[in-house]
Amino acid sequence: MSNQANESQYFDLHTTGIGYLNRIREVKPKGRGVKPFLAVTVAALCGSKEAVEYRYIDCNVVGAEAEKLVRRCIDAVNAEKKVLVSFRIGDCWADPFTYSSGPKQGQHGASLKGRLLYIGWIKVEGEFVYEAKPRDAASAEQQGTDQGNEGDQSAA
């Protein structure tokens, strides 16, 4: 009972979907003791197939597996190939800013930010190159419903 009282408790806000990877980069923050991190912009798909819309989410890549997978995609993204992934992004927030140059100079804007936690599968130019293995029966069932019809295909 006392162990439960000492445990930290968190409320998770997760966004799941599919989208294209863009702008994979190593961010080296200024300041002492601040470690560099991997970042990526996910162009998340939403809306109907006939009129797809995109929501761009700038993400810090967290977790060893997610980082390894994003690093595997760097060459394809730099070669302007279409890299489509299923993703889970945590703790999205809006980051307000003011445009400092260009036609919108002085106007206010906002960008969506989050933490890329998980990649379920990766397609490069329509070909499966990675598919996560289910961890247990419950997650396999959930993953199958998240992926829809594409969950039946195996990685290439």
Side-chain angles (χ1 to χ4, degrees):
M1 194 73 154
S2 63
N3 286 344
Q4 290 177 349
N6 293 333
E7 290 180 21
S8 297
Q9 294 183 355
Y10 299 93
F11 296 101
D12 295 324
L13 173 62
H14 289 166
T15 302
T16 60
I18 64 171
Y20 293 99
L21 297 184
N22 295 290
R23 296 184 57 228
I24 301 172
R25 62 222 179 263
E26 190 80 28
V27 177
K28 297 176 181 160
K30 295 176 183 173
R32 298 176 72 165
V34 183
K35 294 171 54 174
F37 60 90
L38 187 63
V40 64
T41 299
V42 176
L45 282 71
C46 61
S48 72
K49 282 186 175 182
E50 293 77 32
V52 174
E53 294 182 28
Y54 298 93
R55 301 292 185 265
Y56 296 91
I57 307 170
D58 289 321
C59 298
N60 297 349
V61 181
V62 299
E65 187 67 17
E67 183 173 336
K68 180 177 83 171
L69 292 169
V70 171
R71 286 190 188 284
R72 281 178 43 186
C73 297
I74 291 173
D75 290 340
V77 170
N78 288 343
E80 298 184 9
K81 292 182 179 179
K82 292 182 179 181
V83 180
L84 184 68
V85 300
S86 72
F87 63 82
R88 183 180 315 128
I89 295 174
D91 306 324
C92 284
W93 74 93
D95 187 22
F97 64 90
T98 303
Y99 288 94
S100 59
S101 61
K104 294 184 178 182
Q105 184 174 359
Q107 294 181 23
H108 300 289
S111 58
L112 288 175
K113 303 222 177 201
R115 298 179 312 124
L116 180 61
L117 305 170
Y118 175 79
I119 293 177
W121 51 258
I122 302 170
K123 284 184 179 182
V124 177
E125 295 292 326
E127 298 282 329
F128 270 102
V129 296
Y130 170 79
E131 188 169 19
K133 302 289 184 235
R135 292 190 179 177
D136 58 31
S139 67
E141 183 178 325
Q142 178 62 36
Q143 187 176 26
T145 55
D146 288 347
Q147 291 180 2
N149 295 335
E150 293 179 334
D152 297 333
Q153 299 179 10
S154 62

